[in-house]
Amino acid sequence: MKKTENALRLLRALEAVYPTAHCALNYQNPWQLLVATILSAQCTDKRVNIVTETLFRVFPGPEQMAAATQEEVEDLIRTTGFFRNKAKNLIRCAEQLLVKHQGKVPADLNALVALNGVGRKTANVVLGNAYQIPGMVVDTHVKRLAKRFGWTKSDSPEQIEKELSQLLPENEWTQCSHTLIAHGRACCKAPTPSCSSCPIIELCPRKGVDKSR
């Protein structure tokens, strides 16, 4: 219980610094968030938002995406990196939604991860933000900060998700991810964190931090 109390104390301090932390991907419905999150792998949210502005006009739903050619999708998402594999996954994912889910993005973790291009991180992004179902998103920022905070020793995203889900109350999961990502981008960077200007330095055990600015 003490570990949870300490974690929540640190989290409350971070929330005071980043009160507007939220999903940085632009979307208007679960389908758009699913697509944007698939595209965000190894790509910045800023670049994804530029690409999806056109992509969502051309392919507003899974029906249009499923009917697209590989080349059509590739041309629109090329700048997100790994565009051939992402295009293949988007088309196949759209087909699966039509065949198995009547064209709707499922609000279920197991059903989501069964879709092409969707892992637990993407599934939890969709659940937490599109459906308000608590999901612990473990991206590179969350992984890095969770280790520095002493919340986990693992390098496995799935194990970190499990440990953080056990550490924090369920109603904290979605916002915790947003808050940690905001702090990771602004201050607790890789490979060298800016500890001298960190607003929560007194609460941070700085696990594994050998050098900082």
Side-chain angles (χ1 to χ4, degrees):
M1 179 61 73
K2 185 176 180 181
K3 188 175 181 181
T4 292
E5 290 174 357
N6 289 339
L8 287 173
R9 188 178 302 114
L10 191 155
L11 194 55
R12 292 289 95 81
L14 281 178
E15 288 172 347
V17 179
Y18 308 101
T20 60
H22 64 283
C23 179
L25 295 168
N26 294 337
Y27 67 97
Q28 294 183 340
N29 53 56
W31 160 252
Q32 290 188 355
L33 181 57
L34 177 63
V35 171
T37 310
I38 290 173
L39 291 176
S40 71
Q42 304 297 314
C43 183
T44 66
D45 291 345
K46 182 177 180 180
R47 169 52 56 183
V48 171
N49 288 338
I50 293 171
V51 167
T52 55
E53 190 172 346
T54 300
L55 186 69
F56 293 153
R57 285 201 303 268
V58 179
F59 305 117
E63 298 85 358
Q64 294 80 13
M65 181 67 76
T69 66
Q70 176 84 12
E71 292 73 19
E72 287 173 330
V73 180
E74 284 183 8
D75 286 345
L76 290 174
I77 68 169
R78 190 174 300 270
T79 59
T80 67
F82 303 97
F83 61 92
R84 291 188 180 87
N85 195 47
K86 288 179 180 179
K88 180 180 178 181
N89 282 334
L90 288 176
I91 293 170
R92 181 59 183 142
C93 178
E95 292 171 346
Q96 292 168 327
L97 289 178
L98 293 175
V99 172
K100 299 180 180 180
H101 303 286
Q102 296 76 52
K104 305 294 184 182
V105 176
D108 175 79
L109 181 67
N110 292 328
L112 283 167
V113 297
L115 300 171
N116 268 51
V118 180
R120 292 185 68 89
K121 184 193 84 168
T122 296
N124 280 319
V125 169
V126 172
L127 290 176
N129 296 281
Y131 292 120
Q132 289 72 55
I133 297 172
M136 181 62 71
V137 175
V138 179
D139 72 346
T140 56
H141 297 291
V142 173
K143 176 181 176 180
R144 182 173 70 256
L145 270 64
K147 294 184 74 172
R148 289 175 177 173
F149 293 166
W151 293 357
T152 182
K153 295 180 180 178
S154 179
D155 286 315
S156 163
E158 190 163 336
Q159 179 62 26
I160 294 171
E161 178 192 338
K162 180 180 178 180
E163 291 183 27
L164 267 57
S165 296
Q166 292 172 343
L167 175 67
L168 299 169
E170 190 173 357
N171 64 338
E172 302 280 351
W173 295 353
T174 301
Q175 191 56 39
C176 172
S177 301
H178 294 322
T179 303
L180 264 58
I181 290 169
H183 187 54
R185 286 173 173 162
C187 184
C188 198
K189 300 180 180 181
T192 308
S194 301
C195 293
S196 62
S197 59
C198 179
I200 53 103
I201 186 64
E202 294 181 359
L203 297 174
C204 181
R206 303 175 70 205
K207 299 287 188 180
V209 177
D210 298 319
K211 64 176 183 175
S212 63
R213 291 193 292 270

